[in-house]
Amino acid sequence: MRLAHPDGSVVHLAYCTNVHPAEDLDGVLAQLGAQCAPVRRRLGVDRLGVGLWLAAGAAHALDTDPRALRTLRGELDRHGLEVVTLNGFPYEGFGAGEVKYRVYRPDWADPRRLDHTLALARILAALLPDDVTEGTVSTLPLAWRTAYDDTRADRARSALVTLAERLDTLEELTGRSIRVGLEPEPGCVVETTRDAIAPLTAVGHDRVGVCVDTCHLATSFEEPETALPALTAAGIGVVKAQVSAALHAEHPDRLEARAALAAFAEPRFLHQTRTTTVNGALHGTDDLDEALTGTRLPTDGPWRSHFHVPLHAAPAPPLTSTLPVLRRALSVLVGGDRPLTRHLEVETYTWQALPPDVRPRDADGLADGIAAELSLARDLLTDLGLKELP
């Protein structure tokens, strides 16, 4: 969907297809009609933005076969879909039964990450609608924090510098500007927006900035009103934003809260869990089950867990979501005189990881849920003064 900002620019709202991941090109093509088009129809719009997730194999097929790329472009048009952003964080295997730490490999110290991201940039340049000249790709925040030493940091910085240079060349060749955003995530080298400033300053190129995921922002207890302007003050661009909400437990010391949280501890994805102390120190565990069974996480303040919960349907009490943080973040991102970013992507990839009693029972239920999330996101934007475009 497209919305007009009061400054006259267009803000794009999409949803990310990593919620129904496909590992090969045939799977990507199939999901457009079977899963994306039904969401568009439920919203009653002629055109729906999708943030494609392309696994390494699918990306390679599209990057090396012009006919395959034309086929994808044609299928997008046929189903009333458009692409201005790609999710380049997971490399492959996002639909596996256990993803966990695998999602952080290969990292930016591994040459495969640069090759994959450049392939995505070339693909996106070819997929952009005719009236759009700017595209974005989100990517992992350098690496998972362990085993990341100075040597690997140097390799990652060099790779990002090369990426920026190649993206310059891509624009010269195609007339399309593609930017890449590191997506701060708990447990990674770049856990917070603040952590992104130093490595991106070292890269020193506006082709590479930050992708703000509002679930991650909230999980790390960052305040949007200070975190996001700090990026701007440091000269770091917000390339795109992922519109998402985290799981929140106000009183994690209570038995009913811990029982409710335990229903969200599941084997597929990593659910980093964080809390803060009265002096503002951040404490956390790598996964939700560790927080519930261990003794390292204080319980005298709220817990937040990296579990993308549906925007329109907060968990049942005593839990809730960080939707209020999302509202505040959107106000900073697009509620000012001019937007900090023009690419927004709803990214609730955990629908099938929800507790069984609230999980979609079939494809129709999933399409209903995604449409409801997009409808809420659209309402949040129009409340800020944006107007939906036909």
Side-chain angles (χ1 to χ4, degrees):
M1 292 182 283
R2 300 186 184 191
L3 300 100
H5 189 273
D7 75 344
S9 63
V10 175
V11 172
H12 295 263
L13 174 64
Y15 93 90
C16 186
T17 63
N18 63 356
V19 64
H20 24 245
E23 292 293 319
D24 57 24
L25 181 55
D26 286 343
V28 172
L29 293 171
Q31 73 187 204
L32 301 181
Q35 295 163 317
C36 301
V39 174
R40 180 186 62 77
R41 290 193 292 269
R42 281 165 170 77
L43 288 165
V45 296
D46 295 330
R47 174 175 51 190
L48 176 65
V50 290
L52 284 181
W53 174 66
L54 299 172
H60 178 74
L62 290 165
D63 189 41
T64 56
D65 186 350
R67 290 176 300 176
L69 196 52
R70 288 194 297 271
T71 297
L72 176 57
R73 176 74 184 257
E75 286 297 287
L76 288 165
D77 291 341
R78 185 166 76 89
H79 292 294
L81 307 170
E82 67 177 13
V83 175
V84 302
T85 190
L86 299 179
N87 186 329
F89 195 135
Y91 182 77
E92 61 186 0
F94 202 60
E98 182 178 335
V99 178
K100 298 289 184 180
Y101 295 95
R102 292 170 53 190
V103 75
Y104 307 107
R105 300 192 299 267
D107 62 30
W108 274 100
D110 186 323
R112 291 178 296 168
R113 176 59 63 172
L114 174 61
D115 292 343
H116 177 57
T117 308
L118 285 170
L120 293 178
R122 291 188 291 266
I123 293 165
L124 181 56
L127 291 180
L128 288 176
D130 293 340
D131 59 346
V132 175
T133 59
E134 297 182 357
T136 57
V137 180
S138 49
T139 188
L140 85 162
L142 298 183
W144 186 252
R145 68 183 185 281
T146 56
Y148 191 76
D149 55 19
D150 289 345
T151 299
R152 296 185 68 78
D154 287 342
R155 290 176 185 166
R157 184 193 60 79
S158 178
L160 290 174
V161 170
T162 300
L163 172 69
E165 293 170 348
R166 300 283 179 83
L167 293 178
D168 278 344
T169 301
L170 182 63
E171 182 173 14
E172 293 173 3
L173 293 172
T174 66
R176 304 295 180 89
S177 173
I178 308 298
R179 300 170 68 207
V180 173
L182 304 185
E183 182 184 328
E185 177 167 314
C188 293
V189 173
V190 176
E191 170 155 343
T192 65
T193 55
R194 182 177 59 254
D195 295 336
I197 292 175
L200 289 177
T201 300
V203 173
H205 201 301
D206 62 4
R207 293 282 183 195
V208 187
V210 167
C211 167
V212 174
D213 185 304
T214 57
C215 170
H216 304 172
L217 188 85
T219 300
S220 294
F221 287 85
E222 291 197 82
E223 300 294 340
E225 296 84 357
T226 54
L228 301 179
L231 290 174
T232 302
I236 305 299
V238 179
V239 170
K240 66 182 277 191
Q242 288 176 324
V243 181
S244 54
L247 187 64
H248 180 98
E250 185 66 23
H251 301 289
D253 56 327
R254 298 179 181 176
L255 291 179
E256 61 270 25
R258 299 179 78 83
L261 284 169
F264 286 84
E266 53 84 34
R268 184 174 176 188
F269 299 113
L270 206 60
H271 301 297
Q272 303 92 315
T273 303
R274 299 289 186 266
T275 189
T276 57
T277 58
V278 291
N279 63 1
L282 192 66
H283 296 264
T285 59
D286 282 356
D287 215 342
L288 178 56
D289 56 356
E290 295 176 26
L292 291 169
T293 59
T295 59
R296 294 188 296 121
L297 203 58
T299 58
D300 53 353
W303 284 8
R304 291 177 179 172
S305 187
H306 172 218
F307 196 118
H308 290 226
V309 295
L311 302 184
H312 68 292
L319 304 181
T320 186
S321 79
T322 59
L323 184 62
V325 179
L326 166 59
R327 291 178 184 270
R328 290 160 48 207
L330 286 177
S331 181
V332 178
L333 288 166
V334 298
D337 292 338
R338 57 190 304 272
L340 298 185
T341 182
R342 295 184 177 87
H343 290 180
L344 304 175
E345 178 184 66
V346 173
E347 197 218 12
T348 306
Y349 59 85
T350 45
W351 279 97
Q352 299 303 336
L354 289 168
D357 59 330
V358 293
R359 190 180 301 168
R361 297 186 179 183
D362 52 27
D364 284 340
L366 178 58
D368 289 342
I370 294 171
E373 286 196 289
L374 281 165
S375 181
L376 173 63
R378 176 176 55 189
D379 290 347
L380 293 177
L381 296 174
T382 56
D383 287 347
L384 290 170
L386 284 73
K387 296 183 179 180
E388 187 176 4
L389 295 170

